[in-house]
Amino acid sequence: MDKEFKALRIREENGEYKREIVSRKIEDLPEGEVLIRVRYSSLNYKDALSVSGNKGVSRNYPHTPGIDAAGVVEESSSDQFKVGDKVIVTSYDLGMNTDGGFSDYIRVPANWVVALPKELSFRDAMIYGTAGFTAALSVYKLLASGQTPEMGPVVVTGALGGVGSIAISILSSLGFEVTAATFDATGDEEVLKELGASNRISKDITDDQSRRPLLRPLWAGAIDVIGGNTLHTLLKACKPMGSVTCCGNVGSGDLPMTVYPFILNGISLIGIDSQNCPMELRQKVWDKLAAEWNVYKHKEQVIESTLEELDTYIDLMLQKKSKGRVIVKL
């Protein structure tokens, strides 16, 4: 097949990274058992890093970002999938060092591909995407650790972002009291209430600068996307026997702290790796997102972008000013 198609390409030029929409051919795509016609993708922070030349995400350029894709199988040499199957690809190496979903076509290994649950459309699948999957996996592991609504409020950082907003909706639907942690203490009150947050706190509360090893307990658990001192604060102000999940490092990848929250208060720190999550668990979490956890209350405010319009939203994300979800219609 030598069909031409459209893709966003990032090229390196004298140390700068240029974005352009180009025409490519199927033969240009990497090897893989499954060729997919992409219908929708979505914008994630990792995509913004790839676009800006972050070598910790994408080593080689020119490159097509897009760690999420939902579409239809057009060719398959795998017994797992046939032409016409509706599928999702998120995580693994897609959009990092393998050409990703900001393109009309992707070609990937069969073991990266998830069958699209019947209850989800392509669009809704990408409203969730890696962000939604990460939020759901965080909730899943929080529950598995023994966290219950009766223990008290759960804090969600980055509450207006993709992971945070979806995590709030899921936790709220499960009966948890959710505290939304945002950079500022005001604004977007109606949005947070609609998502299911009971109250909000600002960076002043979740970024303690006292250097004390433990704080007065303020919450029973947390889902964190920030890392660094914010994660430290969440751990040292957590009630005994609570759990805190960590799925991001928007603020920092460092975690300078003592062991006291763990050995004196029995706090559990749970790492969330959505990129290499085992397929059995991945499918289970997607099935939950398609059914009882399909509760995101912000869908009507999702921004739908074309490839040509994506520049604006990438820049907002890099400036840490993005809110909610941006999906890309191919």
mmCIF file of all heavy atoms in Angstrom, residues 31-36 76-81 87-94 98 107-115 274-280 282-283:
data_model
loop_
_atom_site.group_PDB
_atom_site.id
_atom_site.type_symbol
_atom_site.label_atom_id
_atom_site.label_comp_id
_atom_site.label_asym_id
_atom_site.label_seq_id
_atom_site.Cartn_x
_atom_site.Cartn_y
_atom_site.Cartn_z
ATOM 1 N N GLU A 31 7.881 -0.781 11.361
ATOM 2 C CA GLU A 31 7.372 -2.147 11.243
ATOM 3 C C GLU A 31 6.358 -2.428 12.340
ATOM 4 O O GLU A 31 6.383 -1.833 13.415
ATOM 5 C CB GLU A 31 8.531 -3.141 11.336
ATOM 6 C CG GLU A 31 9.520 -3.059 10.169
ATOM 7 C CD GLU A 31 8.846 -3.362 8.840
ATOM 8 O OE1 GLU A 31 8.103 -4.351 8.759
ATOM 9 O OE2 GLU A 31 9.063 -2.594 7.882
ATOM 10 N N GLY A 32 5.467 -3.366 12.076
ATOM 11 C CA GLY A 32 4.462 -3.775 13.049
ATOM 12 C C GLY A 32 3.430 -4.656 12.390
ATOM 13 O O GLY A 32 3.267 -4.622 11.161
ATOM 14 N N GLU A 33 2.717 -5.441 13.199
ATOM 15 C CA GLU A 33 1.737 -6.374 12.628
ATOM 16 C C GLU A 33 0.403 -5.734 12.288
ATOM 17 O O GLU A 33 -0.383 -6.300 11.538
ATOM 18 C CB GLU A 33 1.480 -7.532 13.615
ATOM 19 C CG GLU A 33 2.658 -8.429 13.888
ATOM 20 C CD GLU A 33 3.536 -7.913 15.017
ATOM 21 O OE1 GLU A 33 3.098 -7.004 15.742
ATOM 22 O OE2 GLU A 33 4.658 -8.430 15.145
ATOM 23 N N VAL A 34 0.127 -4.545 12.852
ATOM 24 C CA VAL A 34 -1.205 -3.959 12.699
ATOM 25 C C VAL A 34 -1.109 -2.528 12.160
ATOM 26 O O VAL A 34 -0.448 -1.671 12.767
ATOM 27 C CB VAL A 34 -1.971 -3.955 14.040
ATOM 28 C CG1 VAL A 34 -3.405 -3.459 13.830
ATOM 29 C CG2 VAL A 34 -1.991 -5.348 14.662
ATOM 30 N N LEU A 35 -1.762 -2.289 11.022
ATOM 31 C CA LEU A 35 -1.876 -0.948 10.447
ATOM 32 C C LEU A 35 -3.251 -0.408 10.804
ATOM 33 O O LEU A 35 -4.273 -1.065 10.556
ATOM 34 C CB LEU A 35 -1.720 -0.990 8.930
ATOM 35 C CG LEU A 35 -1.908 0.339 8.183
ATOM 36 C CD1 LEU A 35 -0.761 1.299 8.506
ATOM 37 C CD2 LEU A 35 -2.027 0.106 6.675
ATOM 38 N N ILE A 36 -3.285 0.796 11.386
ATOM 39 C CA ILE A 36 -4.530 1.366 11.897
ATOM 40 C C ILE A 36 -4.790 2.719 11.265
ATOM 41 O O ILE A 36 -3.897 3.584 11.232
ATOM 42 C CB ILE A 36 -4.466 1.514 13.430
ATOM 43 C CG1 ILE A 36 -4.266 0.145 14.091
ATOM 44 C CG2 ILE A 36 -5.725 2.197 13.975
ATOM 45 C CD1 ILE A 36 -3.871 0.235 15.555
ATOM 46 N N SER A 76 -3.637 -6.426 8.953
ATOM 47 C CA SER A 76 -3.161 -7.145 10.126
ATOM 48 C C SER A 76 -2.554 -8.478 9.723
ATOM 49 O O SER A 76 -3.160 -9.247 8.972
ATOM 50 C CB SER A 76 -4.312 -7.383 11.117
ATOM 51 O OG SER A 76 -3.882 -8.184 12.201
ATOM 52 N N SER A 77 -1.366 -8.740 10.235
ATOM 53 C CA SER A 77 -0.747 -10.051 10.059
ATOM 54 C C SER A 77 -0.789 -10.844 11.359
ATOM 55 O O SER A 77 -0.116 -11.866 11.506
ATOM 56 C CB SER A 77 0.708 -9.885 9.600
ATOM 57 O OG SER A 77 1.457 -9.152 10.561
ATOM 58 N N SER A 78 -1.607 -10.359 12.305
ATOM 59 C CA SER A 78 -1.755 -11.011 13.612
ATOM 60 C C SER A 78 -3.108 -11.710 13.705
ATOM 61 O O SER A 78 -4.124 -11.197 13.213
ATOM 62 C CB SER A 78 -1.645 -9.961 14.722
ATOM 63 O OG SER A 78 -2.076 -10.482 15.963
ATOM 64 N N ASP A 79 -3.130 -12.854 14.363
ATOM 65 C CA ASP A 79 -4.384 -13.578 14.587
ATOM 66 C C ASP A 79 -5.277 -12.858 15.596
ATOM 67 O O ASP A 79 -6.467 -13.157 15.689
ATOM 68 C CB ASP A 79 -4.092 -14.995 15.096
ATOM 69 C CG ASP A 79 -3.398 -15.856 14.056
ATOM 70 O OD1 ASP A 79 -3.528 -15.547 12.852
ATOM 71 O OD2 ASP A 79 -2.721 -16.827 14.457
ATOM 72 N N GLN A 80 -4.703 -11.906 16.342
ATOM 73 C CA GLN A 80 -5.473 -11.221 17.377
ATOM 74 C C GLN A 80 -6.457 -10.206 16.804
ATOM 75 O O GLN A 80 -7.485 -9.919 17.414
ATOM 76 C CB GLN A 80 -4.526 -10.492 18.337
ATOM 77 C CG GLN A 80 -3.618 -11.384 19.146
ATOM 78 C CD GLN A 80 -2.642 -10.563 19.962
ATOM 79 O OE1 GLN A 80 -1.464 -10.403 19.613
ATOM 80 N NE2 GLN A 80 -3.116 -10.008 21.050
ATOM 81 N N PHE A 81 -6.130 -9.641 15.628
ATOM 82 C CA PHE A 81 -6.963 -8.572 15.069
ATOM 83 C C PHE A 81 -7.173 -8.797 13.579
ATOM 84 O O PHE A 81 -6.303 -9.308 12.880
ATOM 85 C CB PHE A 81 -6.300 -7.209 15.315
ATOM 86 C CG PHE A 81 -6.110 -6.893 16.765
ATOM 87 C CD1 PHE A 81 -4.883 -7.102 17.382
ATOM 88 C CD2 PHE A 81 -7.166 -6.416 17.535
ATOM 89 C CE1 PHE A 81 -4.704 -6.842 18.732
ATOM 90 C CE2 PHE A 81 -6.997 -6.150 18.884
ATOM 91 C CZ PHE A 81 -5.769 -6.368 19.487
ATOM 92 N N VAL A 87 -10.141 -0.357 17.525
ATOM 93 C CA VAL A 87 -9.089 -0.576 18.516
ATOM 94 C C VAL A 87 -8.586 0.729 19.126
ATOM 95 O O VAL A 87 -8.852 1.820 18.616
ATOM 96 C CB VAL A 87 -7.891 -1.320 17.875
ATOM 97 C CG1 VAL A 87 -8.302 -2.728 17.429
ATOM 98 C CG2 VAL A 87 -7.317 -0.531 16.697
ATOM 99 N N ILE A 88 -7.841 0.567 20.222
ATOM 100 C CA ILE A 88 -7.170 1.669 20.916
ATOM 101 C C ILE A 88 -5.699 1.307 21.049
ATOM 102 O O ILE A 88 -5.362 0.146 21.306
ATOM 103 C CB ILE A 88 -7.719 1.870 22.343
ATOM 104 C CG1 ILE A 88 -9.241 2.040 22.357
ATOM 105 C CG2 ILE A 88 -7.060 3.068 23.031
ATOM 106 C CD1 ILE A 88 -9.826 1.956 23.766
ATOM 107 N N VAL A 89 -4.828 2.292 20.891
ATOM 108 C CA VAL A 89 -3.420 2.125 21.241
ATOM 109 C C VAL A 89 -3.032 3.303 22.124
ATOM 110 O O VAL A 89 -3.186 4.461 21.723
ATOM 111 C CB VAL A 89 -2.501 2.075 20.009
ATOM 112 C CG1 VAL A 89 -1.062 1.787 20.444
ATOM 113 C CG2 VAL A 89 -2.964 1.025 19.013
ATOM 114 N N THR A 90 -2.573 3.008 23.323
ATOM 115 C CA THR A 90 -2.037 4.042 24.213
ATOM 116 C C THR A 90 -0.779 3.496 24.862
ATOM 117 O O THR A 90 -0.632 2.297 25.071
ATOM 118 C CB THR A 90 -3.028 4.442 25.324
ATOM 119 O OG1 THR A 90 -3.261 3.310 26.174
ATOM 120 C CG2 THR A 90 -4.350 4.919 24.751
ATOM 121 N N SER A 91 0.136 4.391 25.168
ATOM 122 C CA SER A 91 1.342 4.040 25.929
ATOM 123 C C SER A 91 2.308 3.196 25.117
ATOM 124 O O SER A 91 2.391 3.345 23.908
ATOM 125 C CB SER A 91 0.944 3.346 27.240
ATOM 126 O OG SER A 91 0.002 4.123 27.950
ATOM 127 N N TYR A 92 3.036 2.293 25.810
ATOM 128 C CA TYR A 92 4.178 1.600 25.221
ATOM 129 C C TYR A 92 5.110 2.657 24.606
ATOM 130 O O TYR A 92 5.395 3.666 25.237
ATOM 131 C CB TYR A 92 3.711 0.533 24.226
ATOM 132 C CG TYR A 92 2.855 -0.525 24.883
ATOM 133 C CD1 TYR A 92 1.463 -0.531 24.733
ATOM 134 C CD2 TYR A 92 3.445 -1.500 25.688
ATOM 135 C CE1 TYR A 92 0.685 -1.495 25.369
ATOM 136 C CE2 TYR A 92 2.658 -2.470 26.314
ATOM 137 C CZ TYR A 92 1.288 -2.457 26.160
ATOM 138 O OH TYR A 92 0.509 -3.393 26.786
ATOM 139 N N ASP A 93 5.531 2.475 23.363
ATOM 140 C CA ASP A 93 6.463 3.433 22.765
ATOM 141 C C ASP A 93 5.777 4.349 21.745
ATOM 142 O O ASP A 93 6.434 5.159 21.093
ATOM 143 C CB ASP A 93 7.621 2.677 22.101
ATOM 144 C CG ASP A 93 8.794 3.588 21.758
ATOM 145 O OD1 ASP A 93 9.221 4.356 22.642
ATOM 146 O OD2 ASP A 93 9.269 3.547 20.611
ATOM 147 N N LEU A 94 4.459 4.223 21.601
ATOM 148 C CA LEU A 94 3.745 5.042 20.623
ATOM 149 C C LEU A 94 3.939 6.523 20.916
ATOM 150 O O LEU A 94 3.756 6.985 22.041
ATOM 151 C CB LEU A 94 2.248 4.711 20.644
ATOM 152 C CG LEU A 94 1.414 5.431 19.569
ATOM 153 C CD1 LEU A 94 1.704 4.827 18.202
ATOM 154 C CD2 LEU A 94 -0.082 5.359 19.882
ATOM 155 N N THR A 98 8.366 5.737 18.500
ATOM 156 C CA THR A 98 7.613 5.141 17.394
ATOM 157 C C THR A 98 6.592 6.167 16.925
ATOM 158 O O THR A 98 5.867 6.730 17.746
ATOM 159 C CB THR A 98 6.882 3.861 17.855
ATOM 160 O OG1 THR A 98 7.846 2.917 18.338
ATOM 161 C CG2 THR A 98 6.081 3.248 16.721
ATOM 162 N N ARG A 107 1.358 2.293 12.508
ATOM 163 C CA ARG A 107 1.594 0.849 12.405
ATOM 164 C C ARG A 107 2.370 0.434 13.651
ATOM 165 O O ARG A 107 3.412 1.006 13.968
ATOM 166 C CB ARG A 107 2.376 0.502 11.142
ATOM 167 C CG ARG A 107 2.508 -1.007 10.953
ATOM 168 C CD ARG A 107 2.790 -1.393 9.509
ATOM 169 N NE ARG A 107 3.927 -0.694 8.953
ATOM 170 C CZ ARG A 107 4.158 -0.597 7.638
ATOM 171 N NH1 ARG A 107 3.309 -1.146 6.773
ATOM 172 N NH2 ARG A 107 5.212 0.050 7.190
ATOM 173 N N VAL A 108 1.829 -0.585 14.354
ATOM 174 C CA VAL A 108 2.363 -0.941 15.674
ATOM 175 C C VAL A 108 2.366 -2.456 15.868
ATOM 176 O O VAL A 108 1.661 -3.188 15.162
ATOM 177 C CB VAL A 108 1.508 -0.307 16.802
ATOM 178 C CG1 VAL A 108 1.579 1.205 16.770
ATOM 179 C CG2 VAL A 108 0.057 -0.782 16.726
ATOM 180 N N PRO A 109 3.118 -2.949 16.856
ATOM 181 C CA PRO A 109 3.043 -4.365 17.221
ATOM 182 C C PRO A 109 1.653 -4.729 17.739
ATOM 183 O O PRO A 109 0.988 -3.907 18.391
ATOM 184 C CB PRO A 109 4.089 -4.493 18.332
ATOM 185 C CG PRO A 109 5.016 -3.341 18.124
ATOM 186 C CD PRO A 109 4.166 -2.229 17.599
ATOM 187 N N ALA A 110 1.226 -5.939 17.475
ATOM 188 C CA ALA A 110 -0.117 -6.375 17.899
ATOM 189 C C ALA A 110 -0.281 -6.347 19.411
ATOM 190 O O ALA A 110 -1.385 -6.098 19.914
ATOM 191 C CB ALA A 110 -0.393 -7.775 17.360
ATOM 192 N N ASN A 111 0.810 -6.575 20.145
ATOM 193 C CA ASN A 111 0.680 -6.619 21.601
ATOM 194 C C ASN A 111 0.582 -5.247 22.251
ATOM 195 O O ASN A 111 0.550 -5.131 23.472
ATOM 196 C CB ASN A 111 1.813 -7.439 22.232
ATOM 197 C CG ASN A 111 3.197 -6.900 21.940
ATOM 198 O OD1 ASN A 111 3.346 -5.828 21.342
ATOM 199 N ND2 ASN A 111 4.218 -7.632 22.341
ATOM 200 N N TRP A 112 0.534 -4.187 21.434
ATOM 201 C CA TRP A 112 0.242 -2.846 21.951
ATOM 202 C C TRP A 112 -1.246 -2.502 21.814
ATOM 203 O O TRP A 112 -1.681 -1.476 22.339
ATOM 204 C CB TRP A 112 1.017 -1.776 21.168
ATOM 205 C CG TRP A 112 2.486 -1.790 21.345
ATOM 206 C CD1 TRP A 112 3.244 -2.709 22.024
ATOM 207 C CD2 TRP A 112 3.411 -0.825 20.823
ATOM 208 N NE1 TRP A 112 4.568 -2.384 21.951
ATOM 209 C CE2 TRP A 112 4.711 -1.239 21.227
ATOM 210 C CE3 TRP A 112 3.270 0.334 20.048
ATOM 211 C CZ2 TRP A 112 5.855 -0.516 20.879
ATOM 212 C CZ3 TRP A 112 4.416 1.049 19.715
ATOM 213 C CH2 TRP A 112 5.688 0.627 20.123
ATOM 214 N N VAL A 113 -1.995 -3.315 21.109
ATOM 215 C CA VAL A 113 -3.343 -2.945 20.680
ATOM 216 C C VAL A 113 -4.397 -3.502 21.638
ATOM 217 O O VAL A 113 -4.348 -4.676 22.031
ATOM 218 C CB VAL A 113 -3.609 -3.452 19.255
ATOM 219 C CG1 VAL A 113 -4.996 -3.002 18.774
ATOM 220 C CG2 VAL A 113 -2.521 -2.955 18.301
ATOM 221 N N VAL A 114 -5.364 -2.653 22.004
ATOM 222 C CA VAL A 114 -6.484 -3.030 22.868
ATOM 223 C C VAL A 114 -7.775 -2.941 22.059
ATOM 224 O O VAL A 114 -7.985 -1.966 21.319
ATOM 225 C CB VAL A 114 -6.587 -2.083 24.087
ATOM 226 C CG1 VAL A 114 -7.801 -2.413 24.941
ATOM 227 C CG2 VAL A 114 -5.318 -2.138 24.921
ATOM 228 N N ALA A 115 -8.620 -3.945 22.184
ATOM 229 C CA ALA A 115 -9.925 -3.886 21.532
ATOM 230 C C ALA A 115 -10.750 -2.754 22.143
ATOM 231 O O ALA A 115 -10.843 -2.627 23.375
ATOM 232 C CB ALA A 115 -10.653 -5.210 21.689
ATOM 233 N N SER A 274 1.508 3.699 33.573
ATOM 234 C CA SER A 274 0.508 3.395 32.534
ATOM 235 C C SER A 274 1.168 2.973 31.234
ATOM 236 O O SER A 274 0.531 2.335 30.391
ATOM 237 C CB SER A 274 -0.382 4.616 32.288
ATOM 238 O OG SER A 274 0.386 5.714 31.825
ATOM 239 N N GLN A 275 2.456 3.301 31.072
ATOM 240 C CA GLN A 275 3.121 3.009 29.803
ATOM 241 C C GLN A 275 3.321 1.519 29.583
ATOM 242 O O GLN A 275 3.100 1.008 28.489
ATOM 243 C CB GLN A 275 4.473 3.726 29.742
ATOM 244 C CG GLN A 275 5.196 3.513 28.411
ATOM 245 C CD GLN A 275 6.471 4.319 28.312
ATOM 246 O OE1 GLN A 275 6.637 5.324 28.997
ATOM 247 N NE2 GLN A 275 7.378 3.893 27.466
ATOM 248 N N ASN A 276 3.747 0.804 30.623
ATOM 249 C CA ASN A 276 4.063 -0.615 30.475
ATOM 250 C C ASN A 276 3.142 -1.511 31.290
ATOM 251 O O ASN A 276 3.507 -2.626 31.641
ATOM 252 C CB ASN A 276 5.521 -0.855 30.877
ATOM 253 C CG ASN A 276 6.488 -0.095 29.989
ATOM 254 O OD1 ASN A 276 6.523 -0.291 28.787
ATOM 255 N ND2 ASN A 276 7.265 0.804 30.596
ATOM 256 N N CYS A 277 1.943 -1.010 31.582
ATOM 257 C CA CYS A 277 0.958 -1.783 32.331
ATOM 258 C C CYS A 277 0.657 -3.099 31.602
ATOM 259 O O CYS A 277 0.434 -3.111 30.389
ATOM 260 C CB CYS A 277 -0.319 -0.955 32.471
ATOM 261 S SG CYS A 277 -1.683 -1.812 33.261
ATOM 262 N N PRO A 278 0.639 -4.244 32.308
ATOM 263 C CA PRO A 278 0.348 -5.528 31.661
ATOM 264 C C PRO A 278 -0.994 -5.505 30.918
ATOM 265 O O PRO A 278 -1.955 -4.876 31.381
ATOM 266 C CB PRO A 278 0.313 -6.514 32.830
ATOM 267 C CG PRO A 278 1.144 -5.872 33.897
ATOM 268 C CD PRO A 278 0.925 -4.390 33.738
ATOM 269 N N MET A 279 -1.071 -6.198 29.794
ATOM 270 C CA MET A 279 -2.256 -6.126 28.944
ATOM 271 C C MET A 279 -3.527 -6.596 29.661
ATOM 272 O O MET A 279 -4.606 -6.023 29.465
ATOM 273 C CB MET A 279 -2.038 -6.944 27.673
ATOM 274 C CG MET A 279 -3.200 -6.885 26.687
ATOM 275 S SD MET A 279 -3.678 -5.181 26.208
ATOM 276 C CE MET A 279 -2.308 -4.728 25.140
ATOM 277 N N GLU A 280 -3.430 -7.611 30.487
ATOM 278 C CA GLU A 280 -4.626 -8.095 31.194
ATOM 279 C C GLU A 280 -5.221 -7.010 32.073
ATOM 280 O O GLU A 280 -6.442 -6.782 32.077
ATOM 281 C CB GLU A 280 -4.270 -9.327 32.034
ATOM 282 C CG GLU A 280 -5.473 -9.936 32.753
ATOM 283 C CD GLU A 280 -5.114 -11.167 33.563
ATOM 284 O OE1 GLU A 280 -3.940 -11.597 33.527
ATOM 285 O OE2 GLU A 280 -6.010 -11.704 34.251
ATOM 286 N N ARG A 282 -4.552 -3.771 31.735
ATOM 287 C CA ARG A 282 -4.905 -2.669 30.838
ATOM 288 C C ARG A 282 -6.327 -2.846 30.296
ATOM 289 O O ARG A 282 -7.127 -1.909 30.310
ATOM 290 C CB ARG A 282 -3.901 -2.606 29.684
ATOM 291 C CG ARG A 282 -4.099 -1.428 28.736
ATOM 292 C CD ARG A 282 -3.038 -1.460 27.643
ATOM 293 N NE ARG A 282 -1.701 -1.270 28.179
ATOM 294 C CZ ARG A 282 -1.157 -0.085 28.419
ATOM 295 N NH1 ARG A 282 -1.834 1.029 28.138
ATOM 296 N NH2 ARG A 282 0.064 0.016 28.902
ATOM 297 N N GLN A 283 -6.642 -4.044 29.810
ATOM 298 C CA GLN A 283 -7.975 -4.287 29.272
ATOM 299 C C GLN A 283 -9.043 -4.180 30.357
ATOM 300 O O GLN A 283 -10.131 -3.633 30.147
ATOM 301 C CB GLN A 283 -8.041 -5.676 28.622
ATOM 302 C CG GLN A 283 -9.342 -5.946 27.863
ATOM 303 C CD GLN A 283 -9.431 -5.196 26.541
ATOM 304 O OE1 GLN A 283 -8.613 -5.410 25.642
ATOM 305 N NE2 GLN A 283 -10.431 -4.321 26.408
#
